[in-house]
Amino acid sequence: MGDFNVALVIVAAVVSVLVLLVSVYLLVNYQHPDDVNQAYFPKLVVVLGLTVAVLSILMLPADVANRQACSRAIYNGACSLTLPMRTLWLVVYIVDAVLVFLVIPFAMFYYEGDQDKSVGKRLRTALMWVVASAVVCGLVLGILYGLVGKVDFTVRHLSSSVETFPNSFSGFSSGQPCISSLPRVCAASTAPANSQTTWTMRATFPEYVVALATIVGSVLFTIFGGVGIACLPLGLIFSFVRRPKAVITRSQYIKEATELGKKARELKKAAEALHQEERSGNKGRKWRKNVKAVEKELLLLEDDMKALEEMYPQGEQAEATWAFTVLGYIGKLIFGVVGLVVSIAWVAHIVIYLLIDPPLSSFLNEVFIKLDGVWGLLGTAAFAFFCFYLLIAVIAGEMMLGLKLVFITIHPMKWGGTLMNSFLFNVGLILLCSISVIQFCATAFAYYAQATAAQEIFGHTLQSLRGIKYLYKYNVFQYGFVALAILTLFYYAIFGWRKRKPTGRFQLSN
Protein backbone atom coordinates (compact mmCIF):
# COMPACT_ATOMS: atom_id res chain seq x y z
CA MET A 1 0.00 0.00 0.00
CA GLY A 2 2.79 2.41 0.81
CA ASP A 3 4.20 2.12 -2.72
CA PHE A 4 0.76 2.87 -4.18
CA ASN A 5 0.41 5.96 -2.02
CA VAL A 6 3.83 7.25 -3.11
CA ALA A 7 2.81 6.68 -6.73
CA LEU A 8 -0.37 8.67 -6.14
CA VAL A 9 1.59 11.64 -4.83
CA ILE A 10 3.99 11.45 -7.79
CA VAL A 11 1.11 11.26 -10.30
CA ALA A 12 -0.52 14.30 -8.69
CA ALA A 13 2.71 16.31 -9.03
CA VAL A 14 3.22 15.25 -12.67
CA VAL A 15 -0.41 16.04 -13.59
CA SER A 16 -0.11 19.50 -12.00
CA VAL A 17 2.93 20.28 -14.15
CA LEU A 18 1.16 19.01 -17.29
CA VAL A 19 -1.92 21.11 -16.54
CA LEU A 20 0.30 24.18 -16.17
CA LEU A 21 1.95 23.49 -19.55
CA VAL A 22 -1.44 22.98 -21.23
CA SER A 23 -2.66 26.28 -19.78
CA VAL A 24 0.37 28.08 -21.24
CA TYR A 25 -0.24 26.36 -24.59
CA LEU A 26 -3.88 27.51 -24.66
CA LEU A 27 -2.88 31.08 -23.81
CA VAL A 28 -0.23 31.22 -26.55
CA ASN A 29 -2.53 29.84 -29.24
CA TYR A 30 -5.74 31.68 -28.29
CA GLN A 31 -4.27 35.14 -27.62
CA HIS A 32 -4.96 37.98 -30.03
CA PRO A 33 -2.00 39.25 -32.11
CA ASP A 34 -2.44 42.68 -30.47
CA ASP A 35 -1.56 41.15 -27.08
CA VAL A 36 1.66 39.44 -28.17
CA ASN A 37 4.68 40.53 -26.09
CA GLN A 38 2.55 42.66 -23.75
CA ALA A 39 -0.18 42.40 -21.06
CA TYR A 40 2.01 40.02 -19.07
CA PHE A 41 0.13 40.38 -15.78
CA PRO A 42 -3.28 39.46 -17.28
CA LYS A 43 -1.58 36.52 -19.01
CA LEU A 44 -0.13 35.33 -15.70
CA VAL A 45 -3.61 35.53 -14.15
CA VAL A 46 -5.11 33.58 -17.08
CA VAL A 47 -2.54 30.78 -16.77
CA LEU A 48 -3.00 30.59 -13.00
CA GLY A 49 -6.80 30.64 -13.31
CA LEU A 50 -6.91 27.92 -15.96
CA THR A 51 -4.52 25.77 -13.92
CA VAL A 52 -6.56 26.13 -10.73
CA ALA A 53 -9.84 25.45 -12.58
CA VAL A 54 -8.59 22.28 -14.25
CA LEU A 55 -6.91 21.01 -11.09
CA SER A 56 -10.10 21.61 -9.10
CA ILE A 57 -12.02 19.42 -11.55
CA LEU A 58 -9.34 16.73 -11.36
CA MET A 59 -9.26 16.83 -7.57
CA LEU A 60 -12.53 14.95 -7.12
CA PRO A 61 -11.30 11.88 -9.07
CA ALA A 62 -8.00 12.25 -7.17
CA ASP A 63 -9.97 12.31 -3.92
CA VAL A 64 -11.67 9.05 -4.90
CA ALA A 65 -8.30 7.47 -5.79
CA ASN A 66 -6.87 8.79 -2.52
CA ARG A 67 -9.66 7.06 -0.61
CA GLN A 68 -9.18 3.81 -2.52
CA ALA A 69 -5.47 3.87 -1.66
CA CYS A 70 -6.40 3.39 2.00
CA SER A 71 -9.35 1.06 1.54
CA ARG A 72 -7.26 -2.06 2.19
CA ALA A 73 -4.71 -0.64 4.64
CA ILE A 74 -3.78 -3.18 7.32
CA TYR A 75 -1.72 -0.92 9.58
CA ASN A 76 -2.09 2.68 10.73
CA GLY A 77 0.94 4.08 8.91
CA ALA A 78 -0.06 2.74 5.50
CA CYS A 79 -1.87 5.95 4.54
CA SER A 80 0.68 8.44 5.83
CA LEU A 81 1.82 9.35 2.30
CA THR A 82 -1.59 9.99 0.75
CA LEU A 83 -2.67 13.47 -0.26
CA PRO A 84 -4.12 15.79 2.46
CA MET A 85 -7.27 16.27 0.42
CA ARG A 86 -9.28 18.31 2.92
CA THR A 87 -6.49 20.89 3.20
CA LEU A 88 -6.00 20.89 -0.58
CA TRP A 89 -9.72 21.44 -1.18
CA LEU A 90 -9.81 24.48 1.10
CA VAL A 91 -6.58 25.92 -0.36
CA VAL A 92 -7.72 25.50 -3.97
CA TYR A 93 -11.12 27.04 -3.39
CA ILE A 94 -9.86 29.93 -1.31
CA VAL A 95 -7.43 30.66 -4.18
CA ASP A 96 -10.38 30.25 -6.55
CA ALA A 97 -12.44 32.84 -4.63
CA VAL A 98 -9.51 35.29 -4.44
CA LEU A 99 -8.93 35.01 -8.19
CA VAL A 100 -12.61 35.44 -9.09
CA PHE A 101 -13.47 38.32 -6.77
CA LEU A 102 -10.15 40.20 -6.52
CA VAL A 103 -7.35 39.33 -8.94
CA ILE A 104 -9.33 38.85 -12.17
CA PRO A 105 -11.41 42.04 -11.71
CA PHE A 106 -8.19 43.98 -11.03
CA ALA A 107 -6.57 42.56 -14.17
CA MET A 108 -9.66 43.40 -16.26
CA PHE A 109 -9.91 46.96 -14.89
CA TYR A 110 -6.23 47.50 -15.62
CA TYR A 111 -6.36 45.97 -19.11
CA GLU A 112 -9.51 47.88 -20.12
CA GLY A 113 -8.29 51.17 -18.66
CA ASP A 114 -7.87 54.24 -20.81
CA GLN A 115 -4.73 53.67 -22.88
CA ASP A 116 -4.06 57.40 -22.91
CA LYS A 117 -3.47 57.36 -19.15
CA SER A 118 -0.14 56.45 -17.59
CA VAL A 119 0.51 53.03 -16.10
CA GLY A 120 0.40 54.49 -12.58
CA LYS A 121 -3.05 56.04 -13.10
CA ARG A 122 -4.41 52.83 -14.59
CA LEU A 123 -3.05 50.86 -11.64
CA ARG A 124 -4.58 53.31 -9.14
CA THR A 125 -7.96 53.21 -10.87
CA ALA A 126 -8.01 49.41 -11.01
CA LEU A 127 -6.84 49.16 -7.40
CA MET A 128 -9.51 51.62 -6.25
CA TRP A 129 -12.30 49.57 -7.81
CA VAL A 130 -10.94 46.28 -6.45
CA VAL A 131 -10.45 47.67 -2.93
CA ALA A 132 -14.00 49.02 -2.93
CA SER A 133 -15.29 45.64 -4.08
CA ALA A 134 -13.16 43.82 -1.49
CA VAL A 135 -14.45 46.03 1.34
CA VAL A 136 -18.05 45.41 0.34
CA CYS A 137 -17.49 41.65 -0.06
CA GLY A 138 -15.59 41.50 3.24
CA LEU A 139 -18.37 43.29 5.12
CA VAL A 140 -21.05 41.08 3.60
CA LEU A 141 -19.07 37.90 4.35
CA GLY A 142 -18.28 39.01 7.90
CA ILE A 143 -21.86 39.94 8.72
CA LEU A 144 -23.29 36.76 7.22
CA TYR A 145 -20.69 34.62 8.97
CA GLY A 146 -21.36 36.28 12.31
CA LEU A 147 -25.14 35.94 12.01
CA VAL A 148 -25.76 32.64 10.21
CA GLY A 149 -22.34 31.02 9.80
CA LYS A 150 -23.42 27.88 11.63
CA VAL A 151 -24.02 24.28 10.69
CA ASP A 152 -27.13 22.43 11.89
CA PHE A 153 -26.66 18.65 11.89
CA THR A 154 -29.65 16.41 12.61
CA VAL A 155 -28.45 13.69 15.00
CA ARG A 156 -30.04 10.86 16.98
CA HIS A 157 -29.08 10.38 20.62
CA LEU A 158 -28.80 6.70 21.57
CA SER A 159 -27.93 5.14 24.90
CA SER A 160 -28.03 1.67 26.47
CA SER A 161 -27.29 -0.01 29.75
CA VAL A 162 -24.10 -1.96 30.43
CA GLU A 163 -24.31 -5.69 29.75
CA THR A 164 -22.01 -8.47 30.89
CA PHE A 165 -19.55 -9.44 28.18
CA PRO A 166 -20.57 -12.90 26.85
CA ASN A 167 -18.36 -15.94 27.11
CA SER A 168 -19.61 -17.30 23.80
CA PHE A 169 -20.70 -15.64 20.55
CA SER A 170 -22.50 -18.67 19.15
CA GLY A 171 -25.91 -17.20 19.92
CA PHE A 172 -25.50 -14.17 17.65
CA SER A 173 -27.29 -14.05 14.30
CA SER A 174 -28.94 -11.58 11.95
CA GLY A 175 -32.08 -11.82 14.07
CA GLN A 176 -30.16 -11.35 17.33
CA PRO A 177 -27.11 -9.13 16.67
CA CYS A 178 -26.92 -7.58 20.16
CA ILE A 179 -25.54 -8.62 23.52
CA SER A 180 -28.87 -7.86 25.20
CA SER A 181 -31.40 -10.67 25.37
CA LEU A 182 -34.10 -8.37 24.04
CA PRO A 183 -34.29 -8.52 20.23
CA ARG A 184 -32.66 -5.65 18.31
CA VAL A 185 -32.32 -3.30 21.29
CA CYS A 186 -29.10 -1.92 19.79
CA ALA A 187 -30.75 -0.98 16.47
CA ALA A 188 -31.19 2.74 15.78
CA SER A 189 -34.56 2.01 14.15
CA THR A 190 -36.06 1.25 17.56
CA ALA A 191 -34.99 4.59 19.09
CA PRO A 192 -37.86 6.85 20.20
CA ALA A 193 -38.76 9.99 18.23
CA ASN A 194 -37.51 12.29 20.98
CA SER A 195 -34.00 10.92 20.51
CA GLN A 196 -33.63 13.05 17.34
CA THR A 197 -32.17 16.49 17.91
CA THR A 198 -30.18 19.22 16.17
CA TRP A 199 -26.47 19.60 16.81
CA THR A 200 -25.29 23.13 16.04
CA MET A 201 -21.69 24.15 15.53
CA ARG A 202 -19.97 27.11 13.86
CA ALA A 203 -18.46 26.47 10.44
CA THR A 204 -14.90 27.53 9.78
CA PHE A 205 -14.57 30.79 7.87
CA PRO A 206 -12.79 29.19 4.85
CA GLU A 207 -15.59 26.65 4.55
CA TYR A 208 -18.16 29.45 4.72
CA VAL A 209 -16.38 31.41 1.98
CA VAL A 210 -16.37 28.29 -0.19
CA ALA A 211 -20.07 27.77 0.55
CA LEU A 212 -21.12 31.28 -0.48
CA ALA A 213 -18.93 31.13 -3.60
CA THR A 214 -20.63 27.83 -4.39
CA ILE A 215 -24.08 29.42 -4.09
CA VAL A 216 -23.13 32.22 -6.52
CA GLY A 217 -21.60 29.67 -8.87
CA SER A 218 -24.62 27.36 -8.52
CA VAL A 219 -26.97 30.05 -9.82
CA LEU A 220 -24.79 30.56 -12.90
CA PHE A 221 -24.22 26.81 -13.19
CA THR A 222 -27.97 26.11 -13.13
CA ILE A 223 -28.64 28.63 -15.90
CA PHE A 224 -25.63 28.06 -18.15
CA GLY A 225 -25.26 24.35 -17.39
CA GLY A 226 -28.94 23.58 -17.90
CA VAL A 227 -28.90 25.34 -21.27
CA GLY A 228 -25.46 24.02 -22.23
CA ILE A 229 -26.13 20.35 -21.46
CA ALA A 230 -28.65 20.42 -24.31
CA CYS A 231 -27.20 23.04 -26.68
CA LEU A 232 -23.67 21.57 -26.65
CA PRO A 233 -24.51 18.30 -28.48
CA LEU A 234 -27.54 19.65 -30.36
CA GLY A 235 -25.55 22.66 -31.57
CA LEU A 236 -22.95 20.33 -33.09
CA ILE A 237 -25.62 18.13 -34.69
CA PHE A 238 -27.58 21.05 -36.17
CA SER A 239 -24.31 22.59 -37.36
CA PHE A 240 -23.92 19.44 -39.46
CA VAL A 241 -27.53 19.75 -40.63
CA ARG A 242 -26.98 23.39 -41.74
CA ARG A 243 -23.57 22.65 -43.30
CA PRO A 244 -22.77 23.83 -46.84
CA LYS A 245 -23.77 21.00 -49.14
CA ALA A 246 -21.62 21.99 -52.10
CA VAL A 247 -19.14 24.59 -53.33
CA ILE A 248 -20.84 27.72 -54.68
CA THR A 249 -19.99 29.39 -57.98
CA ARG A 250 -17.77 32.45 -58.34
CA SER A 251 -20.73 34.70 -59.19
CA GLN A 252 -22.56 33.57 -56.03
CA TYR A 253 -19.42 34.22 -54.02
CA ILE A 254 -19.10 37.77 -55.39
CA LYS A 255 -22.76 38.46 -54.64
CA GLU A 256 -22.53 37.21 -51.04
CA ALA A 257 -19.21 38.97 -50.45
CA THR A 258 -20.74 42.25 -51.67
CA GLU A 259 -23.60 41.89 -49.18
CA LEU A 260 -21.17 41.18 -46.36
CA GLY A 261 -19.09 44.20 -47.33
CA LYS A 262 -22.20 46.38 -47.20
CA LYS A 263 -23.06 45.04 -43.76
CA ALA A 264 -19.48 45.61 -42.60
CA ARG A 265 -19.64 49.28 -43.68
CA GLU A 266 -22.91 49.71 -41.77
CA LEU A 267 -21.34 48.22 -38.65
CA LYS A 268 -18.31 50.47 -39.04
CA LYS A 269 -20.54 53.50 -39.28
CA ALA A 270 -22.49 52.40 -36.22
CA ALA A 271 -19.28 51.81 -34.26
CA GLU A 272 -17.93 55.25 -35.18
CA ALA A 273 -21.19 56.89 -34.09
CA LEU A 274 -21.07 55.05 -30.77
CA HIS A 275 -17.46 56.15 -30.32
CA GLN A 276 -18.53 59.76 -30.88
CA GLU A 277 -21.29 59.36 -28.27
CA GLU A 278 -18.72 57.96 -25.84
CA ARG A 279 -16.42 60.98 -26.31
CA SER A 280 -19.32 63.36 -25.77
CA GLY A 281 -20.11 61.66 -22.46
CA ASN A 282 -23.43 60.20 -23.61
CA LYS A 283 -22.91 56.71 -22.13
CA GLY A 284 -26.37 55.89 -20.90
CA ARG A 285 -28.35 52.69 -20.86
CA LYS A 286 -29.27 52.94 -24.54
CA TRP A 287 -25.59 53.44 -25.48
CA ARG A 288 -24.51 50.31 -23.57
CA LYS A 289 -27.33 48.32 -25.18
CA ASN A 290 -26.26 49.47 -28.64
CA VAL A 291 -22.60 48.62 -27.95
CA LYS A 292 -23.51 45.06 -27.02
CA ALA A 293 -25.82 44.78 -30.03
CA VAL A 294 -23.04 45.96 -32.36
CA GLU A 295 -20.64 43.48 -30.76
CA LYS A 296 -23.15 40.72 -31.39
CA GLU A 297 -23.69 41.72 -35.02
CA LEU A 298 -19.92 41.85 -35.52
CA LEU A 299 -19.55 38.30 -34.23
CA LEU A 300 -22.34 37.13 -36.51
CA LEU A 301 -20.69 38.90 -39.43
CA GLU A 302 -17.45 37.06 -38.71
CA ASP A 303 -19.38 33.78 -38.68
CA ASP A 304 -20.91 34.67 -42.07
CA MET A 305 -17.47 35.42 -43.48
CA LYS A 306 -16.17 32.08 -42.23
CA ALA A 307 -19.17 30.26 -43.73
CA LEU A 308 -18.63 32.01 -47.07
CA GLU A 309 -14.96 30.98 -47.09
CA GLU A 310 -16.04 27.40 -46.42
CA MET A 311 -18.48 27.41 -49.35
CA TYR A 312 -15.92 28.88 -51.76
CA PRO A 313 -12.41 27.65 -50.88
CA GLN A 314 -9.65 29.41 -52.76
CA GLY A 315 -5.98 28.82 -53.55
CA GLU A 316 -4.03 25.93 -54.95
CA GLN A 317 -5.27 23.55 -52.25
CA ALA A 318 -8.96 24.39 -52.68
CA GLU A 319 -10.04 20.76 -53.09
CA ALA A 320 -8.10 19.65 -50.02
CA THR A 321 -9.57 22.54 -48.03
CA TRP A 322 -13.10 21.50 -49.01
CA ALA A 323 -12.34 17.89 -48.06
CA PHE A 324 -11.17 18.97 -44.59
CA THR A 325 -14.32 21.11 -44.25
CA VAL A 326 -16.51 18.09 -44.97
CA LEU A 327 -14.52 15.95 -42.52
CA GLY A 328 -14.84 18.69 -39.90
CA TYR A 329 -18.63 18.63 -40.12
CA ILE A 330 -18.65 14.85 -39.96
CA GLY A 331 -16.54 15.12 -36.80
CA LYS A 332 -19.08 17.58 -35.35
CA LEU A 333 -21.84 15.07 -36.05
CA ILE A 334 -19.92 12.26 -34.32
CA PHE A 335 -19.04 14.35 -31.28
CA GLY A 336 -22.59 15.70 -31.20
CA VAL A 337 -24.08 12.20 -31.10
CA VAL A 338 -21.63 11.11 -28.39
CA GLY A 339 -22.34 14.28 -26.45
CA LEU A 340 -26.07 13.74 -26.79
CA VAL A 341 -25.71 10.29 -25.22
CA VAL A 342 -23.67 11.78 -22.35
CA SER A 343 -26.18 14.61 -21.87
CA ILE A 344 -29.11 12.17 -21.77
CA ALA A 345 -27.19 10.03 -19.27
CA TRP A 346 -26.56 13.12 -17.10
CA VAL A 347 -30.20 14.25 -17.09
CA ALA A 348 -31.47 10.71 -16.52
CA HIS A 349 -29.04 10.25 -13.62
CA ILE A 350 -30.18 13.52 -12.02
CA VAL A 351 -33.84 12.48 -12.24
CA ILE A 352 -33.31 8.87 -11.15
CA TYR A 353 -30.78 9.44 -8.38
CA LEU A 354 -31.40 12.98 -7.09
CA LEU A 355 -35.01 14.03 -7.78
CA ILE A 356 -36.81 10.79 -6.96
CA ASP A 357 -36.88 9.90 -3.26
CA PRO A 358 -35.89 7.18 -2.61
CA PRO A 359 -33.66 6.87 -5.71
CA LEU A 360 -34.74 4.32 -8.28
CA SER A 361 -31.11 3.36 -8.88
CA SER A 362 -27.58 4.59 -8.28
CA PHE A 363 -27.18 4.40 -12.11
CA LEU A 364 -23.86 6.04 -13.10
CA ASN A 365 -22.40 5.33 -9.66
CA GLU A 366 -22.74 1.61 -10.37
CA VAL A 367 -21.27 2.11 -13.85
CA PHE A 368 -18.13 3.75 -12.43
CA ILE A 369 -17.76 1.05 -9.77
CA LYS A 370 -18.01 -1.71 -12.38
CA LEU A 371 -15.48 0.07 -14.60
CA ASP A 372 -13.09 0.20 -11.63
CA GLY A 373 -13.53 -3.55 -11.40
CA VAL A 374 -12.40 -3.93 -15.02
CA TRP A 375 -9.33 -1.71 -14.50
CA GLY A 376 -8.37 0.28 -11.44
CA LEU A 377 -8.44 3.74 -13.02
CA LEU A 378 -11.09 3.20 -15.72
CA GLY A 379 -13.99 4.19 -13.48
CA THR A 380 -12.06 7.19 -12.17
CA ALA A 381 -11.29 8.30 -15.74
CA ALA A 382 -14.97 7.99 -16.73
CA PHE A 383 -15.91 9.91 -13.60
CA ALA A 384 -13.46 12.70 -14.52
CA PHE A 385 -14.84 12.80 -18.08
CA PHE A 386 -18.41 13.36 -16.85
CA CYS A 387 -17.22 16.18 -14.58
CA PHE A 388 -15.29 17.84 -17.42
CA TYR A 389 -18.23 17.48 -19.78
CA LEU A 390 -20.42 19.35 -17.32
CA LEU A 391 -17.93 22.23 -17.19
CA ILE A 392 -17.74 22.39 -20.99
CA ALA A 393 -21.55 22.45 -21.09
CA VAL A 394 -21.50 25.51 -18.81
CA ILE A 395 -19.23 27.37 -21.25
CA ALA A 396 -21.42 26.32 -24.21
CA GLY A 397 -24.52 27.60 -22.41
CA GLU A 398 -22.88 30.94 -21.64
CA MET A 399 -21.86 31.42 -25.27
CA MET A 400 -25.36 30.54 -26.53
CA LEU A 401 -27.14 32.91 -24.14
CA GLY A 402 -24.55 35.60 -24.85
CA LEU A 403 -25.43 35.47 -28.54
CA LYS A 404 -29.21 35.24 -28.04
CA LEU A 405 -29.65 37.86 -25.30
CA VAL A 406 -28.30 41.37 -25.81
CA PHE A 407 -28.03 42.19 -22.08
CA ILE A 408 -25.33 39.55 -21.51
CA THR A 409 -21.80 40.71 -22.35
CA ILE A 410 -20.24 38.64 -25.11
CA HIS A 411 -16.67 37.46 -24.63
CA PRO A 412 -15.96 34.92 -27.39
CA MET A 413 -12.98 32.59 -27.31
CA LYS A 414 -11.36 32.30 -30.74
CA TRP A 415 -8.24 30.50 -31.83
CA GLY A 416 -5.62 33.19 -32.42
CA GLY A 417 -8.07 36.05 -31.82
CA THR A 418 -8.96 36.28 -28.11
CA LEU A 419 -8.24 39.53 -26.31
CA MET A 420 -7.12 39.37 -22.70
CA ASN A 421 -10.31 40.88 -21.29
CA SER A 422 -12.32 38.09 -22.95
CA PHE A 423 -9.78 35.56 -21.71
CA LEU A 424 -10.05 36.90 -18.16
CA PHE A 425 -13.86 36.96 -18.24
CA ASN A 426 -14.13 33.35 -19.41
CA VAL A 427 -11.48 32.15 -16.95
CA GLY A 428 -13.41 33.87 -14.14
CA LEU A 429 -16.61 32.16 -15.29
CA ILE A 430 -14.85 28.78 -15.44
CA LEU A 431 -13.40 29.26 -11.95
CA LEU A 432 -16.71 30.34 -10.46
CA CYS A 433 -18.67 27.51 -12.05
CA SER A 434 -15.98 24.89 -11.35
CA ILE A 435 -16.81 25.08 -7.63
CA SER A 436 -20.45 24.33 -8.35
CA VAL A 437 -19.56 21.60 -10.86
CA ILE A 438 -17.53 19.80 -8.20
CA GLN A 439 -20.27 20.24 -5.59
CA PHE A 440 -22.88 19.03 -8.08
CA CYS A 441 -20.77 16.00 -9.02
CA ALA A 442 -20.08 15.20 -5.35
CA THR A 443 -23.84 15.15 -4.78
CA ALA A 444 -24.80 13.34 -7.99
CA PHE A 445 -22.12 10.67 -7.46
CA ALA A 446 -22.35 10.53 -3.66
CA TYR A 447 -22.36 6.73 -3.68
CA TYR A 448 -19.18 6.50 -5.76
CA ALA A 449 -17.44 9.40 -3.99
CA GLN A 450 -18.46 8.40 -0.46
CA ALA A 451 -16.01 8.78 2.44
CA THR A 452 -13.95 11.38 0.54
CA ALA A 453 -12.85 14.79 1.80
CA ALA A 454 -15.02 16.42 -0.88
CA GLN A 455 -18.04 14.52 0.41
CA GLU A 456 -17.33 15.83 3.90
CA ILE A 457 -17.09 19.46 2.73
CA PHE A 458 -19.69 19.56 -0.03
CA GLY A 459 -21.94 16.70 1.02
CA HIS A 460 -22.33 17.41 4.74
CA THR A 461 -21.06 20.82 5.81
CA LEU A 462 -22.35 22.78 2.80
CA GLN A 463 -25.76 21.12 2.78
CA SER A 464 -26.21 21.72 6.51
CA LEU A 465 -25.33 25.44 6.60
CA ARG A 466 -28.04 27.55 8.17
CA GLY A 467 -30.12 29.38 5.56
CA ILE A 468 -28.42 27.66 2.64
CA LYS A 469 -29.35 24.06 3.36
CA TYR A 470 -32.94 24.49 2.10
CA LEU A 471 -31.68 25.12 -1.44
CA TYR A 472 -30.16 21.65 -1.36
CA LYS A 473 -32.87 20.03 0.76
CA TYR A 474 -35.50 20.79 -1.88
CA ASN A 475 -33.16 20.25 -4.87
CA VAL A 476 -33.71 23.78 -6.21
CA PHE A 477 -30.65 23.74 -8.46
CA GLN A 478 -31.32 20.23 -9.78
CA TYR A 479 -34.91 21.06 -10.73
CA GLY A 480 -33.77 24.29 -12.42
CA PHE A 481 -31.03 22.44 -14.30
CA VAL A 482 -33.41 19.79 -15.68
CA ALA A 483 -36.13 22.34 -16.51
CA LEU A 484 -33.74 24.53 -18.53
CA ALA A 485 -32.34 21.46 -20.30
CA ILE A 486 -35.87 20.46 -21.39
CA LEU A 487 -36.72 24.01 -22.51
CA THR A 488 -33.51 24.20 -24.55
CA LEU A 489 -34.36 20.85 -26.14
CA PHE A 490 -37.75 22.21 -27.25
CA TYR A 491 -36.08 25.38 -28.53
CA TYR A 492 -33.72 23.38 -30.76
CA ALA A 493 -36.55 21.12 -31.89
CA ILE A 494 -38.51 24.17 -33.08
CA PHE A 495 -35.81 26.62 -34.22
CA GLY A 496 -32.55 24.64 -34.39
CA TRP A 497 -32.89 23.59 -38.01
CA ARG A 498 -33.47 27.15 -39.24
CA LYS A 499 -30.65 29.26 -40.59
CA ARG A 500 -29.83 32.41 -38.63
CA LYS A 501 -31.04 35.78 -39.82
CA PRO A 502 -29.52 39.15 -38.89
CA THR A 503 -31.25 40.82 -35.95
CA GLY A 504 -30.54 44.50 -36.66
CA ARG A 505 -31.47 45.44 -33.10
CA PHE A 506 -29.07 48.36 -32.68
CA GLN A 507 -30.43 51.86 -33.19
CA LEU A 508 -28.19 54.94 -33.11
CA SER A 509 -29.12 57.84 -30.84
CA ASN A 510 -28.66 60.45 -33.53
Side-chain angles (χ1 to χ4, degrees), residues 9 53 162 185 213 260 325 356 368 470:
V9 175
V162 178
V185 169
L260 292 180
T325 299
I356 297 178
F368 298 149
Y470 298 104

Side-chain angles (χ1 to χ4, degrees), residues 152-355:
D152 296 322
F153 292 108
T154 301
V155 296
R156 188 181 293 274
H157 176 74
L158 302 176
S159 62
S160 64
S161 58
V162 178
E163 296 285 343
T164 304
F165 198 79
N167 295 322
S168 174
F169 295 92
S170 59
F172 291 96
S173 65
S174 59
Q176 178 57 42
C178 307
I179 295 178
S180 173
S181 59
L182 298 176
R184 304 191 68 80
V185 169
C186 61
S189 59
T190 62
N194 59 6
S195 66
Q196 182 171 315
T197 185
T198 300
W199 177 32
T200 300
M201 61 179 295
R202 182 166 291 279
T204 64
F205 187 71
E207 288 179 343
Y208 196 71
V209 172
V210 171
L212 291 186
T214 302
I215 293 299
V216 175
S218 294
V219 175
L220 297 176
F221 165 76
T222 301
I223 298 172
F224 295 142
V227 173
I229 201 74
C231 78
L232 176 60
L234 292 177
L236 292 173
I237 292 174
F238 280 105
S239 177
F240 173 80
V241 173
R242 298 191 299 265
R243 73 193 187 280
K245 304 298 191 300
V247 177
I248 62 176
T249 62
R250 180 175 177 80
S251 60
Q252 289 176 311
Y253 173 78
I254 294 174
K255 179 182 178 181
E256 294 293 336
T258 303
E259 290 294 326
L260 292 180
K262 180 180 178 181
K263 188 184 298 183
R265 287 190 294 271
E266 292 176 354
L267 283 174
K268 182 180 179 181
K269 181 181 178 182
E272 290 174 348
L274 291 172
H275 188 59
Q276 289 293 333
E277 290 184 16
E278 180 184 13
R279 290 192 170 186
S280 63
N282 186 15
K283 295 175 61 175
R285 181 180 178 183
K286 185 177 181 180
W287 180 86
R288 291 192 295 269
K289 181 179 179 180
N290 287 335
V291 168
K292 293 178 181 179
V294 169
E295 289 177 352
K296 177 181 176 180
E297 292 294 331
L298 181 59
L299 289 173
L300 296 179
L301 178 62
E302 291 177 357
D303 290 340
D304 288 339
M305 292 176 60
K306 181 180 178 182
L308 184 60
E309 291 175 357
E310 288 181 345
M311 290 186 291
Y312 190 76
Q314 303 180 53
E316 297 180 357
Q317 304 294 328
E319 293 183 0
T321 302
W322 174 251
F324 280 114
T325 299
V326 173
L327 291 176
Y329 279 104
I330 294 175
K332 288 183 178 181
L333 176 64
I334 295 173
F335 285 115
V337 172
V338 173
L340 185 61
V341 173
V342 176
S343 294
I344 293 174
W346 251 119
V347 175
H349 179 78
I350 292 170
V351 174
I352 292 173
Y353 186 69
L354 295 180
L355 300 185

Side-chain angles (χ1 to χ4, degrees), residues 54-195:
V54 175
L55 288 179
S56 65
I57 298 296
L58 292 175
M59 277 181 64
L60 189 53
D63 203 350
V64 174
N66 201 57
R67 177 208 62 190
Q68 293 174 347
C70 296
S71 60
R72 296 182 178 86
I74 58 176
Y75 63 95
N76 293 334
C79 294
S80 59
L81 294 177
T82 51
L83 301 174
M85 292 306 304
R86 181 178 177 83
T87 302
L88 288 175
W89 277 119
L90 293 177
V91 169
V92 166
Y93 284 114
I94 291 298
V95 172
D96 193 314
V98 170
L99 284 172
V100 170
F101 297 108
L102 296 177
V103 179
I104 289 179
F106 175 81
M108 290 187 69
F109 285 131
Y110 175 77
Y111 180 83
E112 295 179 347
D114 191 349
Q115 300 296 325
D116 296 332
K117 295 181 179 179
S118 64
V119 175
K121 289 184 177 180
R122 292 167 62 189
L123 286 173
R124 284 196 299 270
T125 302
L127 188 60
M128 180 183 65
W129 281 104
V130 171
V131 169
S133 302
V135 170
V136 173
C137 290
L139 289 174
V140 172
L141 284 174
I143 293 172
L144 289 176
Y145 181 71
L147 294 177
V148 293
K150 297 180 180 180
V151 184
D152 296 322
F153 292 108
T154 301
V155 296
R156 188 181 293 274
H157 176 74
L158 302 176
S159 62
S160 64
S161 58
V162 178
E163 296 285 343
T164 304
F165 198 79
N167 295 322
S168 174
F169 295 92
S170 59
F172 291 96
S173 65
S174 59
Q176 178 57 42
C178 307
I179 295 178
S180 173
S181 59
L182 298 176
R184 304 191 68 80
V185 169
C186 61
S189 59
T190 62
N194 59 6
S195 66

